[in-house]
Amino acid sequence: MEVTTYLVVCRRVGDWWAISVPELNGVHTQARRLDQVAAAAREAIALLLDVNQTVVDVDVFPEPPGV
């Protein structure tokens, strides 16, 4: 199966990183630390698309504070 890369946008909300995938409507999740964002996003995308996480890649874009 071909690997697909998705843009993942995250922003700090309190103690958590709020995560969304703009090209996939309804994919939202959260992570406690920035280094956990990619894994959480891959899992959420794979669940929505009903595919194995190994065919999902992500580019994480953290929004700067105050945006």
Side-chain angles (χ1 to χ4, degrees):
M1 234 179 167
E2 186 176 322
V3 175
T4 305
T5 302
Y6 296 91
L7 173 68
V8 173
V9 179
C10 58
R11 72 176 188 281
R12 195 73 175 168
V13 178
D15 292 336
W16 293 86
W17 286 94
I19 305 164
S20 62
V21 182
E23 53 191 304
L24 295 175
N25 196 19
V27 177
H28 304 282
T29 189
Q30 62 186 10
R32 182 68 83 171
R33 297 188 331 247
L34 185 58
D35 66 342
Q36 298 170 330
V37 168
R42 264 194 303 278
E43 180 180 10
I45 293 166
L47 284 170
L48 177 80
L49 300 178
D50 194 26
V51 297
N52 191 297
Q53 290 184 38
T54 59
V55 300
V56 175
D57 195 15
V58 296
D59 285 331
V60 176
F61 177 77
E63 289 184 349
V67 173

